[in-house]
PDB file of all heavy atoms in Angstrom:
ATOM      1  N   ALA P 201     -14.390  -4.110   0.856  1.00 97.00           N
ATOM      2  CA  ALA P 201     -13.852  -3.207  -0.168  1.00 97.00           C
ATOM      3  C   ALA P 201     -14.716  -1.960  -0.305  1.00 97.00           C
ATOM      4  O   ALA P 201     -14.204  -0.846  -0.490  1.00 97.00           O
ATOM      5  CB  ALA P 201     -13.745  -3.935  -1.506  1.00 97.00           C
ATOM      6  N   CYS P 202     -16.025  -2.124  -0.203  1.00 96.00           N
ATOM      7  CA  CYS P 202     -16.932  -0.971  -0.275  1.00 96.00           C
ATOM      8  C   CYS P 202     -16.727  -0.038   0.916  1.00 96.00           C
ATOM      9  O   CYS P 202     -16.761   1.189   0.770  1.00 96.00           O
ATOM     10  CB  CYS P 202     -18.386  -1.440  -0.336  1.00 96.00           C
ATOM     11  SG  CYS P 202     -18.836  -2.248  -1.891  1.00 96.00           S
ATOM     12  N   VAL P 203     -16.501  -0.615   2.088  1.00 97.00           N
ATOM     13  CA  VAL P 203     -16.238   0.203   3.276  1.00 97.00           C
ATOM     14  C   VAL P 203     -14.938   0.978   3.103  1.00 97.00           C
ATOM     15  O   VAL P 203     -14.878   2.182   3.373  1.00 97.00           O
ATOM     16  CB  VAL P 203     -16.176  -0.680   4.542  1.00 97.00           C
ATOM     17  CG1 VAL P 203     -15.698   0.132   5.744  1.00 97.00           C
ATOM     18  CG2 VAL P 203     -17.543  -1.285   4.832  1.00 97.00           C
ATOM     19  N   ASP P 204     -13.900   0.303   2.630  1.00 97.00           N
ATOM     20  CA  ASP P 204     -12.621   0.980   2.409  1.00 97.00           C
ATOM     21  C   ASP P 204     -12.794   2.154   1.446  1.00 97.00           C
ATOM     22  O   ASP P 204     -12.261   3.257   1.676  1.00 97.00           O
ATOM     23  CB  ASP P 204     -11.590   0.006   1.834  1.00 97.00           C
ATOM     24  CG  ASP P 204     -11.166  -1.070   2.829  1.00 97.00           C
ATOM     25  OD1 ASP P 204     -11.371  -0.871   4.047  1.00 97.00           O
ATOM     26  OD2 ASP P 204     -10.640  -2.100   2.372  1.00 97.00           O
ATOM     27  N   HIS P 205     -13.530   1.924   0.369  1.00 96.00           N
ATOM     28  CA  HIS P 205     -13.745   2.983  -0.624  1.00 96.00           C
ATOM     29  C   HIS P 205     -14.550   4.143  -0.027  1.00 96.00           C
ATOM     30  O   HIS P 205     -14.212   5.312  -0.229  1.00 96.00           O
ATOM     31  CB  HIS P 205     -14.477   2.429  -1.846  1.00 96.00           C
ATOM     32  CG  HIS P 205     -14.761   3.471  -2.881  1.00 96.00           C
ATOM     33  ND1 HIS P 205     -13.844   3.837  -3.840  1.00 96.00           N
ATOM     34  CD2 HIS P 205     -15.863   4.248  -3.093  1.00 96.00           C
ATOM     35  CE1 HIS P 205     -14.360   4.791  -4.594  1.00 96.00           C
ATOM     36  NE2 HIS P 205     -15.584   5.055  -4.167  1.00 96.00           N
ATOM     37  N   ALA P 206     -15.615   3.810   0.700  1.00 95.00           N
ATOM     38  CA  ALA P 206     -16.474   4.854   1.264  1.00 95.00           C
ATOM     39  C   ALA P 206     -15.729   5.691   2.300  1.00 95.00           C
ATOM     40  O   ALA P 206     -15.933   6.905   2.390  1.00 95.00           O
ATOM     41  CB  ALA P 206     -17.725   4.234   1.874  1.00 95.00           C
ATOM     42  N   LEU P 207     -14.869   5.068   3.075  1.00 96.00           N
ATOM     43  CA  LEU P 207     -14.089   5.826   4.054  1.00 96.00           C
ATOM     44  C   LEU P 207     -13.095   6.756   3.370  1.00 96.00           C
ATOM     45  O   LEU P 207     -12.839   7.869   3.842  1.00 96.00           O
ATOM     46  CB  LEU P 207     -13.350   4.876   4.998  1.00 96.00           C
ATOM     47  CG  LEU P 207     -14.220   4.192   6.054  1.00 96.00           C
ATOM     48  CD1 LEU P 207     -13.439   3.081   6.749  1.00 96.00           C
ATOM     49  CD2 LEU P 207     -14.736   5.202   7.078  1.00 96.00           C
ATOM     50  N   ALA P 208     -12.553   6.320   2.256  1.00 95.00           N
ATOM     51  CA  ALA P 208     -11.569   7.135   1.544  1.00 95.00           C
ATOM     52  C   ALA P 208     -12.208   8.224   0.697  1.00 95.00           C
ATOM     53  O   ALA P 208     -11.644   9.322   0.563  1.00 95.00           O
ATOM     54  CB  ALA P 208     -10.692   6.238   0.659  1.00 95.00           C
ATOM     55  N   HIS P 209     -13.400   7.946   0.145  1.00 94.00           N
ATOM     56  CA  HIS P 209     -13.969   8.860  -0.852  1.00 94.00           C
ATOM     57  C   HIS P 209     -15.389   9.328  -0.542  1.00 94.00           C
ATOM     58  O   HIS P 209     -15.929  10.147  -1.285  1.00 94.00           O
ATOM     59  CB  HIS P 209     -13.972   8.184  -2.233  1.00 94.00           C
ATOM     60  CG  HIS P 209     -12.623   7.703  -2.662  1.00 94.00           C
ATOM     61  ND1 HIS P 209     -11.631   8.555  -3.095  1.00 94.00           N
ATOM     62  CD2 HIS P 209     -12.094   6.452  -2.702  1.00 94.00           C
ATOM     63  CE1 HIS P 209     -10.543   7.852  -3.395  1.00 94.00           C
ATOM     64  NE2 HIS P 209     -10.802   6.572  -3.163  1.00 94.00           N
ATOM     65  N   GLY P 210     -16.006   8.801   0.496  1.00 91.00           N
ATOM     66  CA  GLY P 210     -17.394   9.128   0.791  1.00 91.00           C
ATOM     67  C   GLY P 210     -18.339   8.149   0.111  1.00 91.00           C
ATOM     68  O   GLY P 210     -17.940   7.378  -0.781  1.00 91.00           O
ATOM     69  N   LEU P 211     -19.592   8.165   0.522  1.00 90.00           N
ATOM     70  CA  LEU P 211     -20.592   7.290  -0.088  1.00 90.00           C
ATOM     71  C   LEU P 211     -20.950   7.815  -1.475  1.00 90.00           C
ATOM     72  O   LEU P 211     -21.326   8.982  -1.611  1.00 90.00           O
ATOM     73  CB  LEU P 211     -21.855   7.230   0.772  1.00 90.00           C
ATOM     74  CG  LEU P 211     -21.754   6.484   2.105  1.00 90.00           C
ATOM     75  CD1 LEU P 211     -23.060   6.636   2.873  1.00 90.00           C
ATOM     76  CD2 LEU P 211     -21.436   5.008   1.898  1.00 90.00           C
ATOM     77  N   PRO P 212     -20.849   6.986  -2.499  1.00 91.00           N
ATOM     78  CA  PRO P 212     -21.148   7.467  -3.853  1.00 91.00           C
ATOM     79  C   PRO P 212     -22.651   7.506  -4.119  1.00 91.00           C
ATOM     80  O   PRO P 212     -23.431   6.830  -3.460  1.00 91.00           O
ATOM     81  CB  PRO P 212     -20.457   6.432  -4.742  1.00 91.00           C
ATOM     82  CG  PRO P 212     -20.524   5.175  -3.941  1.00 91.00           C
ATOM     83  CD  PRO P 212     -20.389   5.592  -2.489  1.00 91.00           C
ATOM     84  N   ASP P 213     -23.030   8.291  -5.116  1.00 88.00           N
ATOM     85  CA  ASP P 213     -24.428   8.348  -5.533  1.00 88.00           C
ATOM     86  C   ASP P 213     -24.803   7.159  -6.421  1.00 88.00           C
ATOM     87  O   ASP P 213     -25.967   6.822  -6.547  1.00 88.00           O
ATOM     88  CB  ASP P 213     -24.699   9.642  -6.303  1.00 88.00           C
ATOM     89  CG  ASP P 213     -24.565  10.867  -5.420  1.00 88.00           C
ATOM     90  OD1 ASP P 213     -24.890  10.768  -4.217  1.00 88.00           O
ATOM     91  OD2 ASP P 213     -24.122  11.916  -5.916  1.00 88.00           O
ATOM     92  N   ARG P 214     -23.787   6.564  -7.051  1.00 91.00           N
ATOM     93  CA  ARG P 214     -24.035   5.455  -7.968  1.00 91.00           C
ATOM     94  C   ARG P 214     -23.235   4.234  -7.528  1.00 91.00           C
ATOM     95  O   ARG P 214     -22.309   4.341  -6.719  1.00 91.00           O
ATOM     96  CB  ARG P 214     -23.634   5.872  -9.388  1.00 91.00           C
ATOM     97  CG  ARG P 214     -24.398   7.084  -9.879  1.00 91.00           C
ATOM     98  CD  ARG P 214     -23.784   7.651 -11.146  1.00 91.00           C
ATOM     99  NE  ARG P 214     -23.645   6.623 -12.178  1.00 91.00           N
ATOM    100  CZ  ARG P 214     -22.788   6.720 -13.190  1.00 91.00           C
ATOM    101  NH1 ARG P 214     -21.987   7.760 -13.294  1.00 91.00           N
ATOM    102  NH2 ARG P 214     -22.725   5.758 -14.092  1.00 91.00           N
ATOM    103  N   LEU P 215     -23.581   3.078  -8.090  1.00 94.00           N
ATOM    104  CA  LEU P 215     -22.929   1.834  -7.715  1.00 94.00           C
ATOM    105  C   LEU P 215     -21.576   1.620  -8.403  1.00 94.00           C
ATOM    106  O   LEU P 215     -20.746   0.857  -7.909  1.00 94.00           O
ATOM    107  CB  LEU P 215     -23.830   0.647  -8.039  1.00 94.00           C
ATOM    108  CG  LEU P 215     -25.025   0.424  -7.109  1.00 94.00           C
ATOM    109  CD1 LEU P 215     -25.882  -0.716  -7.643  1.00 94.00           C
ATOM    110  CD2 LEU P 215     -24.563   0.127  -5.694  1.00 94.00           C
TER     111      LEU P 215
END
Side-chain angles (χ1 to χ4, degrees):
C202 290
V203 172
D204 292 341
H205 178 85
L207 285 169
H209 305 285
L211 289 175
D213 294 327
R214 301 168 54 202
L215 285 175

